[in-house]
């Protein structure tokens, strides 16, 4: 009896050990084989990487399960080497979304995976699938000469020409003493960087929308015509308004349906400062696509030159004023000028903005003056606005960029949220 009992115990232990080993082996692999010999590959995507970024499998049938665990939309595309049509295409994946691909047949070779939203691939959202032997997987790493060349080409292209300029000042019509600003929201193609056009929503054909400037005490009317395929609204972010003009559908107003026109009317009571306006209907998508702009209450100026810088981090990639490097516009000033820069974040991520060469004084936050304090890097959260001033005391080309490095640079060079202060 004891001998049989020992045999049973040993057999159970062997079975348990085998089961644990099987689980461990499966945990080390990014894919499993189903009963139908379909290799199932799970991929997690977020800012700004794929996990895993390099996948080795056998030739045959493959199905992908992709989860976007990031905070902004992404996409997952698979290309056969040298081809321009994806064999797997999962676009417009919202944060938190999981999708499964169709079953595809992959033969031996190397396949490229990537998120091709502007700036995302360059920031690190790329990888490869190696089908077959590992000897076929070896892609040549960039040499330092190749890396240097890529960086140099990007810098020499700055500022690259693209179609469209965002944030242009909108002159109002004066009707019976009221400043009337007219906006039209519609779908457009917006060139973010050379050759990269993105499906966008825009006010008056611009991303960001036109800059509106008013004075304390002004009576203002903003007339919005909606030519979008969906309803919309405008919220004047941070501006002191009556409740009826707050711009939130089903709370303070009805939604503005496609083809409709809506008027916002209010009197400016705020002190001089930097504000913004943006859609507040399907805002995650509409603001991401470009429905935002700057609203400035002007006052007495004690600076020589003034610039506006709006950060963006969604479907357009990482942008400053709607463009990604090398298409960003430089801040060009003369030596010893006193320079004001209004920095606004209408995106969904933090952006610590760093200026080379100069300390600056923060003089206002969220449209209100503050006791000045000195910085060379300033973290701007979503919805925040800062006014900074610096003296352009040294000639040169001084980079001005977000200091989340994946937002600005990779082995292929600078991209995204980079511009420069050029002091002449």
């Amino acid at each position: 009896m004891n001998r049989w009992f020992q045999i049973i115990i040993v057999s159970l232990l062997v079975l348990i050990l085998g089961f644990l080993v099987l689980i461990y082996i499966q945990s080390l692999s990014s894919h499993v084989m189903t009963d139908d010999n379909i290799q199932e590959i799970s991929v997690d995507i977020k800012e700004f990487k794929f996990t895993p970024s390099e996948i080795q499998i056998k030739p045959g049938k493959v199905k992908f399960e992709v989860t976007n665990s990031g905070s902004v939309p992404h996409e997952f595309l698979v290309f056969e080497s040298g081809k321009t049509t994806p064999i797997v295409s999962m676009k417009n994946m919202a944060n938190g979304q999981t999708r499964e691909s169709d079953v595809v047949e992959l033969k031996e070779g190397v396949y490229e995976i990537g998120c091709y939203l502007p700036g995302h691939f360059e920031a690190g959202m790329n990888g490869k699938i190696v089908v077959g032997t590992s000897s076929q997987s070896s892609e040549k790493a960039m040499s330092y000469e190749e890396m240097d060349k890529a960086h140099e080409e990007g810098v020499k292209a700055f500022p690259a020409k693209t179609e469209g300029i965002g944030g242009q000042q909108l002159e109002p019509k004066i009707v019976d003493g009221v400043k009337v600003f007219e906006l039209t929201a519609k779908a457009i193609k917006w060139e973010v960087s050379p050759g990269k056009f993105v499906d966008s929503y825009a006010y008056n054909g611009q991303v960001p929308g036109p800059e509106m400037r008013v004075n304390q005490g002004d009576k203002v009317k903003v007339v919005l015509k909606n030519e979008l395929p969906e309803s919309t609204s405008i919220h004047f972010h941070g501006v002191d308004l009556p409740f009826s003009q707050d711009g939130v559908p089903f709370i303070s107003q009805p939604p503005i349906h496609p083809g409709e026109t809506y008027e916002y009317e209010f009197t400016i009571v705020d002190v001089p400062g930097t504000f913004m306006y943006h859609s507040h209907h399907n805002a995650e998508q509409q603001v991401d696509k470009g429905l935002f702009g700057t609203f400035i209450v002007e006052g007495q100026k004690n600076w020589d030159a003034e610039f506006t810088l709006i950060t963006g981090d969604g479907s357009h990639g990482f942008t400053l004023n709607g463009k990604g490097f090398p298409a960003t516009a430089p801040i060009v000033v003369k030596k010893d000028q006193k320079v004001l820069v209004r920095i606004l974040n209408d995106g969904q991520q933090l952006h610590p903005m760093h200026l080379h060469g100069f300390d600056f004084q923060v003089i206002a936050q969220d449209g209100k003056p503050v006791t000045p304090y000195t910085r060379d890097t300033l973290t701007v959260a979503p919805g925040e606005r800062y006014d900074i001033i610096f003296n352009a005391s040294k000639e040169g080309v001084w980079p001005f960029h977000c200091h989340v490095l994946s937002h600005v640079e990779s082995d292929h060079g600078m991209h995204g949220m980079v511009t420069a202060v050029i002091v002449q």
Side-chain angles (χ1 to χ4, degrees), residues 5-139:
F5 181 78
Q6 290 174 349
I7 291 173
I8 292 171
I9 293 298
V10 170
S11 298
L12 287 173
L13 289 173
V14 170
L15 286 172
I16 292 171
L17 181 60
F19 180 72
L20 292 174
V21 168
L22 178 61
I23 292 175
Y24 177 73
I25 291 172
Q26 289 179 329
S27 71
L28 294 177
S29 174
S30 64
H31 65 278
V32 296
M33 299 292 292
T34 69
D35 291 340
D36 297 321
N37 289 326
I38 298 174
Q39 300 172 88
E40 296 183 350
I41 303 174
S42 297
V43 180
D44 180 78
I45 60 178
K46 65 173 65 172
E47 300 83 343
F48 284 93
K49 63 180 182 179
F50 292 132
T51 304
S53 61
E54 186 168 337
I55 302 164
Q56 178 116 23
I57 58 174
K58 297 177 181 180
K61 296 180 180 178
V62 181
K63 181 168 69 173
F64 296 89
E65 181 183 79
V66 181
T67 299
N68 179 4
S69 62
S71 60
V72 298
H74 291 297
E75 61 185 24
F76 178 80
L77 277 68
V78 179
F79 290 88
E80 188 175 355
S81 180
K83 300 296 180 64
T84 58
T85 302
I87 57 176
V88 175
S89 178
M90 298 184 186
K91 294 187 175 183
N92 302 316
M93 289 191 64
N95 53 305
Q97 187 177 27
T98 297
R99 289 192 201 168
E100 287 189 352
S101 73
D102 294 332
V103 175
V104 293
E105 185 89 24
L106 297 186
K107 59 185 180 181
E108 288 194 359
V110 178
Y111 297 76
E112 183 180 87
I113 59 176
C115 175
Y116 293 87
L117 295 176
H120 289 204
F121 187 92
E122 296 84 351
M125 296 195 72
N126 56 74
K128 61 184 177 181
I129 302 171
V130 180
V131 182
T133 62
S134 59
S135 62
Q136 296 171 322
S137 72
S138 300
E139 291 182 343

Side-chain angles (χ1 to χ4, degrees), residues 273-292:
T274 302
F275 303 89
M276 63 175 73
Y277 65 96
H278 57 76
S279 168
H280 217 295
H281 187 70
N282 189 22
E284 181 185 8
Q285 298 296 320
Q286 292 191 7
V287 175
D288 174 82
K289 287 185 173 183
L291 291 185
F292 59 89

Side-chain angles (χ1 to χ4, degrees), residues 138-208:
S138 300
E139 291 182 343
K140 184 182 177 183
M142 288 183 74
S143 67
Y144 79 86
E145 294 95 344
E146 291 170 328
M147 192 179 299
D148 289 351
K149 183 180 179 182
H151 280 247
E152 182 181 20
E153 288 175 349
V155 170
K156 285 186 173 180
F158 173 78
K161 291 184 179 180
T162 51
E163 187 178 293
I165 299 174
Q168 300 179 68
Q169 187 171 338
L170 178 62
E171 293 295 333
K173 297 177 181 178
I174 308 299
V175 180
D176 297 329
V178 177
K179 288 186 175 178
V180 180
F181 296 92
E182 296 181 349
L183 298 175
T184 299
K186 62 180 180 180
I188 67 166
K189 293 280 189 179
W190 183 253
E191 190 176 13
V192 176
S193 56
K196 292 185 178 179
F197 287 84
V198 179
D199 290 327
S200 305
Y201 286 173
Y203 295 120
N204 295 9
Q206 305 172 36
V207 178

